[in-house]
Amino acid sequence: MGRKILDRKTSERNLTAIAGMLVFSMGINFFIVPADLYNGGLMGISQVIRTLLVQYVHLFSGTTDIAGMINLILNIPLFFLAYMTIGKSFFTRTLICVVSQTIFLSILPIPSVPVVGDTLTAAIIGGIFGGCGIGISLQAGGSSGGMDIVGMYFTKKYKGFSVGKVSLLVNAVVYGVCAILFGVQTAVYSIIYSAVSTLMSDKTHTQNINTEVVIFTKKEPKEILDYIVKEFKRDATWWEAKGGYTESRTYMVIAVLSKYECAHLRKDLRMIDENAFVVAKDGMSINGKYEKHL
């Protein structure tokens, strides 16, 4: 029975990751490509290569957009990095995400006339779709590959590093090239798209938000502590207190989790102590040893 539940959860996470890539691809093909804008990261590099091949080498013109296929090829060496250094499950789900992304980018039609006439509007709407799609895939445990893999590798290896810092550095190079090749206006609107996409991704990717959780319970705290340690691989601290109104004995358990983990804690805590009182505070600044479960 446990194996079936695990397989079902894995399937659900894979389908969620694929759905995220569909949303991302819709943002790219329906809004960003028709507006001649560019993504950041490895996908942006793929789009620049695509444009150079079509406009200057006159290859693949009039065919299906090949940016997704170029992105898949560039991701191949990064797949090995993900498998060797980050984890098998992350590698598998990232592979699923990148392959599904390539398929969606290839089959979703690109309108010959922009869906919206205003470039700024296209950048904002495309950023909302793109960021939400990436965030959904990240929340399911996968990613769109590219700089996400490199960023997560450096995040795990070096303290103070983050996926965002790596992406920012690569994006600066990509948009610098865009400004030189395609004009400053294209680069500026592409940066606006990237900023909106990053904002939406951060809002959707709840594993990236640190949350302080304080649980008040009348029961012995051992079961709650065991659950936090085994389920989330986190530590927790507890102490005995006294209720101010009832003056009865109360136990307080405090832990720092991601917002994603906190949502699971709230749901499962009902089975441990349905009367437990939970206080959660998002956006905590953390110093010291705290492993990011990305």
Side-chain angles (χ1 to χ4, degrees), residues 179-200:
I180 295 170
L181 295 179
F182 314 122
V184 175
Q185 184 173 346
T186 297
V188 169
Y189 281 124
S190 296
I191 291 171
I192 293 172
Y193 153 72
S194 181
V196 174
S197 178
T198 301
L199 177 63
M200 295 306 299

Side-chain angles (χ1 to χ4, degrees), residues 18 77 113 123 137 141 154 157-158 163-164 172 210 223 245 261-262 272:
I18 292 172
V113 178
S137 295
F154 281 113
K157 191 167 184 178
Y158 301 108
V163 177
N210 299 321
E223 191 173 356
Y245 180 72
E261 293 167 335
C262 183
I272 301 174

